[in-house]
Amino acid sequence: MKHPLLKLILINILAWSMTGPVFAAEDDLYDFLWLDPDKKVYVLQNKVYKKQGKFYANVGLSYGLNDNFQDTSGVQFAAGYYFHEEWALELLYHQYSTSNSETYDNLQQVNGSIPFIRRAERKYGLMGVYSPFYGKINTFNKIIYFDWSFGLGLGQMETSSNALTVSDSTTADIYADEKNMAILGKTAFRIHATENFHIGLEYHRDHFRAPGPNINNRIGQDAWRNNSEFVISIGFSF
């Protein structure tokens, strides 16, 4: 044959036609219902960091996102157990520290006004965590494994507010303690540094009912409030 490239192509086609299909293990088989029913997708690599049957504990730093008049930061403690590869139960506790923001100081300097403020003090509760997504990223010649999860649960939100005094200019601004049941929610991105050590990036958004400020000696109306925060954490699995 005069053309060596054409000869090489024909040899490869012949070799491929005589070779049987290669499959991964049966455990690595996934069905996608939106594909043709006769088509299946095989995964060539097993999941590296398994979660089922493992306990974990996290500690993190949080930054509040939902109050213009307060700078809120805090610390998070969480512990959980994966009873299934995708499902876990998690206990959590958050302690907050607050201070007046630059916006609050500017408002007082301009016209002496005091805004209605509800400060986050602490929260705790129990949530179910669902981890449907996992994957890996190859960067700088290093493979990084990660999980993406969602959490939903119930807990208690402890706050303090100046709802009783903010509308009375003749009364000193006083913060009263409040306790409210809360619906806790989060989404979390976990990066596996090693088999037992991980780094977490989390967004929390919690909802609870609490009264607004008293106006003209009328008690503020209850409404749904929210508490949002971003958390960076480190954790261990065992």
Side-chain angles (χ1 to χ4, degrees):
M1 188 173 292
K2 294 182 179 180
H3 300 285
L5 179 60
L6 180 60
K7 181 178 180 180
L8 181 61
I9 293 174
L10 291 175
I11 291 173
N12 282 323
I13 293 174
L14 180 62
W16 177 81
S17 65
M18 297 175 64
T19 303
V22 178
F23 297 100
E26 288 295 325
D27 292 341
D28 296 329
L29 174 62
Y30 286 80
D31 292 324
F32 289 83
L33 299 179
W34 52 270
L35 289 175
D36 188 295
D38 293 332
K39 289 184 172 60
K40 292 178 170 52
V41 174
Y42 290 86
V43 178
L44 298 180
Q45 182 176 348
N46 290 330
K47 190 173 183 179
V48 175
Y49 296 111
K50 298 293 184 68
K51 297 190 293 294
Q52 184 171 355
K54 288 189 175 182
F55 290 92
Y56 64 90
N58 301 335
V59 59
L61 297 176
S62 67
Y63 176 74
L65 301 174
N66 61 306
D67 195 334
N68 293 328
F69 299 110
Q70 296 288 289
D71 291 329
T72 304
S73 59
V75 55
Q76 168 193 263
F77 300 97
Y81 175 73
Y82 273 96
F83 59 88
H84 183 274
E85 188 60 31
E86 296 180 349
W87 290 95
L89 286 176
E90 179 177 294
L91 288 168
L92 58 91
Y93 175 84
H94 290 215
Q95 179 74 41
Y96 302 102
S97 175
T98 59
S99 61
N100 294 334
S101 67
E102 183 180 3
T103 304
Y104 179 96
D105 294 337
N106 291 338
L107 183 65
Q108 281 208 314
Q109 290 174 6
V110 171
N111 56 22
S113 296
I114 297 177
F116 170 58
I117 292 174
R118 174 166 282 112
R119 295 171 173 169
E121 303 288 347
R122 64 191 59 85
K123 77 173 178 182
Y124 43 88
L126 173 68
M127 65 170 54
V129 178
Y130 177 48
S131 305
F133 305 115
Y134 67 92
K136 60 184 178 180
I137 301 173
N138 187 353
T139 178
F140 300 111
N141 292 324
K142 181 176 178 59
I143 297 177
I144 299 174
Y145 296 89
F146 64 87
D147 293 294
W148 184 13
S149 63
F150 304 87
L152 185 66
L154 293 174
Q156 183 153 287
M157 192 78 196
E158 296 187 6
T159 59
S160 62
S161 80
N162 58 354
L164 300 177
T165 59
V166 66
S167 64
D168 188 351
S169 59
T170 63
T171 304
D173 202 30
I174 298 175
Y175 286 81
D177 292 335
E178 304 169 335
K179 292 184 179 181
N180 297 283
M181 292 295 295
I183 300 173
L184 310 178
K186 74 169 184 176
T187 182
F189 193 77
R190 176 188 287 188
I191 300 171
H192 297 274
T194 67
E195 183 177 358
N196 302 110
F197 176 72
H198 55 264
I199 301 170
L201 304 173
E202 304 179 6
Y203 172 73
H204 291 245
R205 188 171 179 87
D206 314 309
H207 297 270
F208 58 96
R209 290 188 67 85
N214 290 8
I215 300 176
N216 297 327
N217 294 323
R218 293 183 180 180
I219 298 176
Q221 184 177 5
D222 272 5
W224 283 102
R225 319 291 177 178
N226 68 76
N227 177 66
S228 301
E229 59 187 306
F230 177 74
V231 179
I232 300 176
S233 66
I234 58 174
F236 299 90
S237 301
F238 52 93

